[in-house]
Amino acid sequence: MAKFLHAALSLSLMLSAAIPASAQSLLDETPIAIGKEPGESESILSTRSVVPVAKAAGEPGLVPFEQSAAAFKLSGEDDTGRFTFFLSSRQMAAGGTLALAYRNAVSVLPDTSVMDVAVNGKPAGSFRIAAPNGFKRQEIKLSPQLLVAGRNQVDIRVRQHHRVDCSLEATYELWSELDPAKTGFVAGNAKSFTSPDDLLAVARTAAGRTDIRLIVPRALSADLLNDATPMLQTLALFLGRDDLDVTVAETPGSGPGIDLYAFTDRIRLLMPEASRSRPYGVVVADAGEAGRAVVSLHGATHADMESRLLAAIADPMKASLASGRLAASHGRIDISPSTTYRLADAGYESRAFAGRLSRTGFDMVMPSDFYPGDYATIGLKLHAATSPGLKHTAQFLVRVNDRVVTSYPFRRREGEQFDGKLIELPLRAFRPGVNKVELIAELPIEADEACAPEARNDDQPRFILLDKTEISVPALARVGRLPDIAALAGNAYPFAGEKPFDIAIERPDGKSVGAAMTMLSRLAVAAGSPLPAEILLGKASPSRNALVIATDNAFADLGAAGKTAFIADETAPDPLPTAAIADTGSANEPDNSSELLDAFRRSTAVPEGERSATTLAGEWLARAAGRFGSWLNYQQDRDDFAAHGATSDLVTLSQRPSPTGEATWTVLRAPSPSDLAAGVQRLVDPAVWKHLDGGSVAIETASLDVRALPAASRFVTGIDDRSPGNLRRLAAAWFSDNFQFYVLLIVAAMGLFALWLGWIIPRKGAQSDND
Amino acid sequence: MKFLAVPAGALGLLLILLPMSLQAQLMLSCAALGVMFLGMTRPESPVFRVVTLVFAGIIALRYGFWRTTETLPDISEPLNFIPGFLLYIAEMYCLAMLAISFFMVVAPVKRTTPDMGETADLPTVDVFIPSYNEDAELLAMTLAAAKSMAYPKDKLNIFLLDDGGTEAKRSHKDPRISVAALRRHEQLKALCAAMGVTYHARKKNDHAKAGNLNEGLKISTGDLVVVFDADHAPVRDFLRETVGFFAKDEKLFLVQTPHYFLNPDPLEKNLKTFARMPSENEMFYSILQRGLDKWNASFFCGSAAVLRRAALETTDGFSGQSITEDCETALSLHCQGWHSVYVDKPLIAGLQPETFVSFIGQRARWCQGMLQILILKRPFLAKGLTIPQRICYAGINMFWLFPISRLAFMFSPLLYIFFSLEIYRANILEFASYAVTYLISSFAMQSYLYGRVRWPWISELYEYVQAVFLFGSIISVVRNPRKPTFNVTAKGQTLDKSMLSPLAAPYFAIFFLLLAAAVYSGYRLLTEPVAGELLMIVAAWNLINLGLAGAALGAIAERRELRRNQRLPVKRHALIHVGEELHTVIIQDASSGGISVEFIDGAPKLDPAAETRATVELRRGGQAILFDVLCRSRRHNNGTTVAGFAYAERTPRTVMAIAELMYSDQSVLQDRLVRRQIRRNFFWGTTRFALWSVTESLRAIRYSAGLVRETMAKSFDDAPLVLNDNKITPLPPKTDDAAPVQPGVHLYG
């Protein structure tokens, strides 16, 4: 079934890719400081108390933007965001109002700072940014002429200037953000859910999540879940939202969201009373409560459900699936090896920049079996120009995953034009999955020093970055290596593709199953296609890849879990002892005594001036040696890592080979089902999910902080490309990571060769006469 | 073992050619350097030597790989790419030469002289002394020394092949030329008659030296042919050390011996290193030729060699297509499957060009001739050569492309300093991991392989000094490989005044250009906060170049040479008759003009002013050899008296005596070589060199400002050569030194 579905969806998505891009605007993935809630900010100026945001569900009739909360913050001097919302033709015809609830940093100068709004590529209005004290609602009337039936595109550009500071650093204090709950299109007429497309306007919960509730009978079975997963994944892909929260229960949910029913005739009688009468096929209806929809897929048999779902994908859902795919591709480039891309491919449009610090960001999605290393570099061929008068400290920087990887000084004070200037980005800075790339131009001029108000001209362009700037990706070393949480989060590796895998829910209580379904839908969105998953209640088969959802036995929820019908055999030995996860990190266990010693040293330190030259030299040497050591270990910019598996962790996500080594198990483990549910919610939070990295990830119970632990060692899961070129790149990458073997092997091989030469050469040619 | 080692080598090579991280590279470099230094600890072991070379090769290979794959400018920026690529080519040339040189010197051969065998079985030997414009006095010494070689008289024939007195010259339509040629013809004929050697002048001067030698082949019949340049006087044992090899190997066509020089070349003279530093050619003769010998590729160097007539006949004598007929001849014979042998013993003493102009002239001939062979003969593809011979010949010939790479290294930093062209893309970490380790290994290898005969930085200095003019020679030979003609290198010229060489101008221009670049790079470093790493590397590189250019100014600021005749410290026991007194003396040193004598049993009364006459008596084989001398000077030193005598007259008999005195003992030459062969470590050499850069550039600038004042003093002329009571006076072309100068005081402005 999954295979069929996969093929069908893939086909429709492929078709969608061929649809030409409509009028593009700027990137929406500009650097955004991640706050847990809208309103939080890292700005040093926003120390004022946060005005409590009304957490109640948004106003009725508000068609929200589809993007998740993380995208709602625009920062820097010139930033853009692209948002979409869906209108039915009826709503379009009625027109309405675009409501923008926004606020900004105190340091934003209201006199000159502007927010421009364009809808479907046409300017719709602009206004001064002047809401430092709390969210302010700005309304823009949208006539039907500006709107289209289907996905509408809103481009918001902010140009912000600092009140007092002209330094480069100060530009980081500039931000404006929208309140996702109160921002959107206020339709002239109330919405109702009648067709799949209407689902795209479903509002979010107070937590800012899109709620999907899978309604199942009390007697939960694997078959039943397997009947429901195709529909769930299709729905997730159709919505295209990355903030889905799937819960599983016997009763419908409340508030904005979707109730999902998917059952066969065999199960029908087990279903709650109200749902038994649902007709065959995919049906969308109002749930009764405003803003809540019901989606049901009813078929005679599993195969029947499958064909009905395919029918729905083929017709009513197809267009929106395609446009959703298009919207999702904005601001990101899916990388194939040995290919050259342009910035335009990420949706960037050339524009002159008038500020001090130009930031252009996009995501590069690297193949999931990409092996980062030093065997090649990604070439950035810069097409840009600088204006005369820049200070000599002006430079171009590239940040990959929040780390500066290269810089290029703008030397010519008289201005310079770059026609494909090659700047190399080390492949080691990238990782499989999503990589955040920022092109930063620091453009100070002499006048910035004084920052005299009358001399300021914030509209004088200093830099232009052209969209024909190229990114040349070399041939990549490719080998499946796990654990790799970034590849899991970015590309759903190793689950994407046609190889079926299990989702093994060890303790099939509602929360565990909900967590599993949330993970599945999030992974499907990451993969961009439905996954060939098979739900299994109980232990995973060691011969198949599996996503294992496990909870420890030792907690109070155990009793509650026991009440559910299906429960794993508690007497069976646990196939995945928790300790195994802790093991991966035990080597890096922080040593408390060294911290104590450090603190002691700090508190008893002699002031700088009183220390002797030898002490200072010794310290410098020690520091240099330390730096050299960490450089040798490829750790220059990383922090120390805390180990995982501590009891304070809410949930840990790790990957390991199955006991027989035939397959890979991705294990999501929590002390209890409720921890699991809370942990998964946090994990799939768009702000968190996008940054998942390392060999395992843990979420702390108290702070909900995400801690990533690098993989102590990785195991190979398969090499698809066995060409000599790939093997050579793999050798280069692996030997770079393990250069002791490289050095030893060369010394041994060449030593042997040299010894042989030393033996043979005196026997060849003329020989010295013995005296 | 082979089946294990060859795959291991291949695996190693595959691994070396992987694009690795800097960390891995740095560790590999350190490990390879470690193994390399370990290998250097036992220089006498061939296995250790090969290990050293292989690991130095690993580092070079890594550098070359990185340089090729990661440092070239982007082709879309032609302004950077073109000069960057040229520099890259220059570096790759150096790497190729490094590889070839490693191959050449992997196991230099040390030959021991085989016994000559029974006198009756000895082959007949013809000695050819080709001459063009050398004067009779010089030739007399050479002929005398050749005549004195230990060999059965009936089997030794000596031919003076005079190209200065050919029929064509004698009947030249310019009377100045024809008269001089006629005079020369008569004089040399008389000289040869007096010395008992054959004089021959051919009809026309076709094919220069090669043609002349081929003429010699026509008029002689000996089994072996020995060639001596006109100024190359052999030692007594020359044939004893060489002829025996021919009996051992029937396919042997050549026994080559080193060229040993009595006088300094311009660099040695002007930097005052002749007494302490190994000569430039020692690297070639005491290491490279021995290395070539290993691969049966040691080649003919034009003189001081014995050749087999039978072999020469297979190639119609000496080849004359190029202007280096010697190497070309050897190549032809190697192609025919003949063998060569190199004997690393100085067996002749000669002169080398002493002025910078003649030095450059000589090098230009070598350079053009070798490139002619490279282009016209394509030794790497020549039929009949073994693979090692091809490599060796290609290396020898390609060596002469060094001016291009040297100038590329001199000038490319300027492109970055002045124009910010990025012709070498690397950051400081990469540079440290690849280039610095490569530089360390190449300096260490230079010291390991050649340290005995070459001080640090001297190779670079010689290369640069030649490169400035040889660059043009290369261009002309590449444009027209058949054009260059043979120019006889002027030797024995001396300067009586310190002055700048007429060729000085470009060296000054380059020096000041580099100086300006050094100053400007310093300014940029101080004023540009983001100028950074690359500029630092380039500025340092330019500073090294500036040092070279500064020291090179010393080479073109020519010091005067007061000594017309080069002395050889013969340390020979003799008797001297002063009036009635007979004293036992040690002849400390001898030259073709006179001797200095240490009295060991009481000194006679000697009056330099009155030109006290004395007779020196040498003994050899029970026979007394007598010659008269005049006292010119005397001094007391720690109780011993040392007196300087000039030969009272120079008759053929005197000349034979001088030859006996100077060239009877090979060890005199050997000792003088060995005495200078002291290893100098890198830091010593660098300091020494840096000092030169400063002092010598200042000296040159002083010369250019005309701030040389030297007092002149009278000295005595050498006794004239007397033949049948007719004086032979010097021929017109020779610079007539009116007033030789004595050491004076330099006055500074």
Side-chain angles (χ1 to χ4, degrees), chain A residues 374 634 728 742 764 766 771, chain B residues 15 17 21 23 110 112 294:
Chain A
D374 301 283
Y634 304 102
R728 177 167 176 271
Y742 180 69
K764 298 265 176 193
D771 293 316
Chain B
L15 289 173
L17 299 182
S21 68
Q23 287 85 344
K110 192 86 191 160
T112 35
K294 164 91 187 168

Side-chain angles (χ1 to χ4, degrees), chain A residues 696-757:
Chain A
S696 62
V697 164
I699 303 225
E700 274 175 17
T701 307
S703 61
L704 289 180
D705 279 347
V706 181
R707 284 182 295 118
L709 194 69
S713 65
R714 290 191 152 131
F715 54 94
V716 170
T717 56
I719 303 177
D720 295 335
D721 178 2
R722 288 178 192 275
S723 65
N726 191 46
L727 293 180
R728 177 167 176 271
R729 288 187 292 275
L730 282 177
W734 189 83
F735 277 124
S736 288
D737 285 351
N738 303 277
F739 51 72
Q740 59 276 34
F741 296 111
Y742 180 69
V743 172
L744 274 177
L745 212 54
I746 286 192
V747 169
M750 294 310 281
L752 183 64
F753 182 64
L755 289 177
W756 174 69
L757 278 184

Side-chain angles (χ1 to χ4, degrees), chain B residues 217 220-222 308-318 333 338:
Chain B
L217 286 177
S220 63
T221 55
R308 192 190 290 272
R309 179 183 291 270
L312 288 170
E313 279 165 357
T314 63
T315 55
D316 294 327
F318 294 88
L333 288 166
W338 294 90

Side-chain angles (χ1 to χ4, degrees), chain B residues 63-221:
Chain B
Y63 176 76
F65 176 72
W66 169 75
R67 187 78 177 84
T68 308
T69 55
E70 292 185 36
T71 62
L72 282 176
D74 197 53
I75 198 159
S76 64
E77 303 166 24
L79 217 55
N80 291 340
F81 180 78
I82 293 168
F85 191 70
L86 292 179
L87 177 65
Y88 166 77
I89 295 286
E91 277 191 63
M92 288 303 114
Y93 160 77
C94 288
L95 276 178
M97 291 310 295
L98 185 83
I100 293 175
S101 74
F102 279 8
F103 178 78
M104 282 185 196
V105 301
V106 68
V109 173
K110 192 86 191 160
R111 301 273 183 185
T112 35
T113 309
D115 193 43
M116 275 214 295
E118 291 299 313
T119 310
D121 303 335
L122 286 179
T124 50
V125 174
D126 296 325
V127 177
F128 294 165
I129 300 171
S131 169
Y132 185 72
N133 56 3
E134 292 82 4
D135 61 48
E137 293 165 20
L138 186 69
L139 287 168
M141 279 304 303
T142 308
L143 292 172
K147 189 85 185 156
S148 308
M149 287 191 294
Y151 208 71
K153 293 294 164 223
D154 57 333
K155 297 199 171 190
L156 177 67
N157 289 303
I158 295 161
F159 297 85
L160 177 63
L161 304 174
D162 182 25
D163 256 9
T166 51
E167 252 181 51
K169 289 222 163 195
R170 296 199 304 265
S171 54
H172 199 278
K173 60 185 177 213
D174 184 340
R176 278 170 297 197
I177 291 171
S178 58
V179 168
L182 266 172
R183 241 175 104 190
R184 177 183 169 87
H185 186 69
E186 294 307 317
Q187 281 168 344
L188 293 185
K189 239 176 24 190
L191 176 68
C192 288
M195 307 279 299
V197 305
T198 313
Y199 175 85
H200 181 77
R202 53 189 175 138
K203 286 200 171 71
K204 288 195 289 183
N205 294 53
D206 289 342
H207 299 297
K209 188 176 174 184
N212 199 4
L213 291 174
N214 285 334
E215 184 79 6
L217 286 177
K218 280 184 208 154
I219 59 161
S220 63
T221 55

Side-chain angles (χ1 to χ4, degrees), chain B residues 348-613:
Chain B
I348 61 107
L351 296 176
Q352 54 184 336
E354 199 151 316
T355 64
F356 193 70
V357 175
S358 54
F359 171 77
I360 289 293
Q362 179 195 42
R363 298 309 162 101
R365 176 167 79 81
W366 290 356
C367 170
Q368 292 192 322
M370 288 301 199
L371 294 183
Q372 278 183 309
I373 294 174
L374 185 68
I375 296 166
L376 301 174
K377 300 271 172 177
R378 294 193 195 90
F380 195 76
L381 304 172
K383 268 191 199 146
L385 292 186
T386 62
I387 297 288
Q389 283 176 326
R390 286 166 203 263
I391 296 173
C392 290
Y393 269 105
I396 295 158
N397 294 312
M398 269 164 53
F399 166 79
W400 286 96
L401 292 171
F402 73 80
I404 299 175
S405 66
R406 179 52 53 193
L407 290 183
F409 297 150
M410 293 298 280
F411 290 118
S412 39
L414 306 184
L415 296 175
Y416 186 75
I417 292 173
F418 287 123
F419 307 113
S420 288
L421 294 189
E422 284 175 51
I423 58 176
Y424 190 128
R425 296 192 309 125
N427 62 37
I428 204 147
L429 263 181
E430 292 171 332
F431 193 79
S433 307
Y434 286 94
V436 171
T437 51
Y438 167 58
L439 286 176
I440 291 173
S441 88
S442 59
F443 277 112
M445 285 310 286
Q446 204 180 19
S447 163
Y448 172 70
L449 293 174
Y450 310 114
R452 188 164 54 88
V453 293
R454 187 57 57 89
W455 289 2
W457 299 106
I458 298 299
S459 295
E460 287 79 4
L461 179 61
Y462 268 97
E463 280 190 11
Y464 165 63
V465 161
Q466 297 174 57
V468 174
F469 284 97
L470 262 49
F471 185 75
S473 308
I474 293 175
I475 301 295
S476 96
V477 78
V478 169
R479 284 175 55 182
N480 189 350
R482 288 169 203 280
K483 187 180 166 198
T485 50
F486 195 99
N487 289 313
V488 177
T489 304
K491 293 176 186 172
Q493 295 175 330
T494 56
L495 289 173
D496 51 14
K497 275 208 307 263
S498 294
M499 55 185 260
L500 284 183
S501 165
L503 303 179
Y507 295 91
F508 272 100
I510 294 172
F511 175 76
F512 284 112
L513 183 66
L514 298 186
L515 186 65
V519 171
Y520 185 62
S521 62
Y523 166 79
R524 276 188 64 180
L525 273 176
L526 289 177
T527 55
E528 291 180 21
V530 287
E533 317 165 333
L534 191 57
L535 183 60
M536 239 152 70
I537 297 169
V538 175
W541 178 7
N542 182 60
L543 219 55
I544 292 172
N545 285 342
L546 180 65
L548 270 181
L553 286 186
I556 49 101
E558 302 216 59
R559 295 181 197 271
R560 61 182 174 178
E561 176 59 66
L562 299 168
R563 189 170 286 148
R564 259 162 302 152
N565 304 306
Q566 300 302 330
R567 295 182 188 188
L568 203 56
V570 293
K571 295 253 188 307
R572 176 128 181 213
H573 174 222
L575 300 170
I576 193 163
H577 304 264
V578 184
E580 298 300 306
E581 292 178 54
L582 180 65
H583 291 277
T584 308
V585 295
I586 295 173
I587 299 178
Q588 288 286 9
D589 53 55
S591 75
S592 57
I595 55 177
S596 67
V597 166
E598 180 186 341
F599 290 90
I600 51 176
D601 60 347
K605 278 200 171 157
L606 293 169
D607 185 0
E611 296 200 338
T612 311
R613 201 176 180 96

Side-chain angles (χ1 to χ4, degrees), chain A residues 495 501-504 516 519-520 523 545-549 653 666 668:
Chain A
F495 302 128
F501 69 98
D502 294 337
I503 296 182
M519 283 297 283
L520 175 62
L523 287 170
N545 286 344
L547 173 65
V548 179
I549 311 288
L653 178 61
T666 302
L668 193 61

Side-chain angles (χ1 to χ4, degrees), chain A residues 187-275:
Chain A
N189 44 24
K191 66 184 171 191
S192 66
F193 297 102
T194 52
S195 74
D197 281 349
D198 294 337
L199 294 172
L200 296 171
V202 75
R204 291 184 174 78
T205 61
R209 306 296 281 273
T210 303
D211 177 43
I212 297 178
R213 170 158 297 191
L214 178 62
I215 291 145
V216 293
R218 185 178 174 79
L220 194 59
S221 76
D223 283 346
L224 195 147
L225 289 174
N226 280 324
D227 287 342
T229 48
M231 183 65 224
L232 176 66
Q233 294 193 67
T234 305
L235 187 60
L237 287 165
F238 182 71
L239 293 173
R241 298 193 184 182
D242 55 7
D243 57 3
L244 295 178
D245 182 11
V246 183
T247 52
V248 179
E250 294 168 66
T251 52
S254 62
I258 298 168
D259 290 326
L260 176 63
Y261 298 85
F263 54 91
T264 58
D265 280 347
R266 196 166 61 82
I267 307 291
R268 193 168 73 93
L269 289 176
L270 295 175
M271 294 296 289
E273 195 70 48
S275 59

Side-chain angles (χ1 to χ4, degrees), chain A residues 227-478:
Chain A
D227 287 342
T229 48
M231 183 65 224
L232 176 66
Q233 294 193 67
T234 305
L235 187 60
L237 287 165
F238 182 71
L239 293 173
R241 298 193 184 182
D242 55 7
D243 57 3
L244 295 178
D245 182 11
V246 183
T247 52
V248 179
E250 294 168 66
T251 52
S254 62
I258 298 168
D259 290 326
L260 176 63
Y261 298 85
F263 54 91
T264 58
D265 280 347
R266 196 166 61 82
I267 307 291
R268 193 168 73 93
L269 289 176
L270 295 175
M271 294 296 289
E273 195 70 48
S275 59
R276 289 180 193 163
S277 58
R278 302 228 161 248
Y280 286 114
V282 176
V283 177
V284 177
D286 281 320
E289 190 182 346
R292 194 157 186 95
V294 173
V295 177
S296 66
L297 171 60
H298 182 194
T301 60
H302 185 85
D304 184 41
M305 282 175 77
E306 200 168 87
S307 57
R308 287 173 192 279
L309 179 57
L310 285 176
I313 291 170
D315 181 34
M317 297 168 91
K318 186 177 172 183
S320 297
L321 263 172
S323 72
R325 170 91 171 183
L326 193 66
S329 72
H330 183 75
R332 70 184 246 159
I333 302 174
D334 285 295
I335 297 295
S336 309
S338 312
T339 316
T340 297
Y341 301 91
R342 291 179 156 211
L343 275 191
D345 297 338
Y348 175 79
E349 280 179 356
S350 310
R351 193 174 51 218
F353 176 76
R356 292 157 187 85
L357 186 82
S358 158
R359 294 192 282 172
T360 306
F362 55 95
D363 286 338
M364 283 172 67
V365 186
M366 301 299 285
S368 42
D369 60 351
F370 150 63
Y371 191 152
D374 301 283
Y375 49 86
T377 53
I378 291 182
L380 178 76
K381 292 198 164 177
L382 184 65
H383 288 267
T386 58
S387 69
L390 294 183
K391 275 171 65 169
H392 48 226
T393 51
Q395 59 176 339
F396 183 77
L397 301 171
V398 181
R399 270 211 299 240
V400 177
N401 296 324
D402 297 318
R403 195 162 76 79
V404 173
V405 296
T406 188
S407 68
Y408 177 79
F410 292 138
R411 286 219 175 74
R412 303 235 171 104
R413 313 256 329 246
E414 63 272 25
E416 202 168 351
Q417 185 181 329
F418 302 97
D419 299 314
K421 167 78 202 163
L422 180 67
I423 292 173
E424 292 184 335
L425 315 180
L427 272 181
R428 188 178 284 283
F430 291 81
R431 60 189 185 208
V434 180
N435 292 271
K436 184 177 157 198
V437 179
E438 283 175 288
L439 311 181
I440 295 173
E442 294 184 350
L443 309 158
I445 57 172
E446 294 292 347
D448 289 349
E449 297 269 335
C451 203
E454 65 278 8
R456 272 173 73 167
N457 181 359
D458 289 325
D459 298 323
Q460 178 75 42
R462 300 186 189 184
F463 180 65
I464 184 165
L465 177 66
L466 300 178
D467 61 5
K468 64 176 180 176
T469 293
E470 285 176 357
I471 296 158
S472 303
V473 181
L476 301 172
R478 304 192 67 170

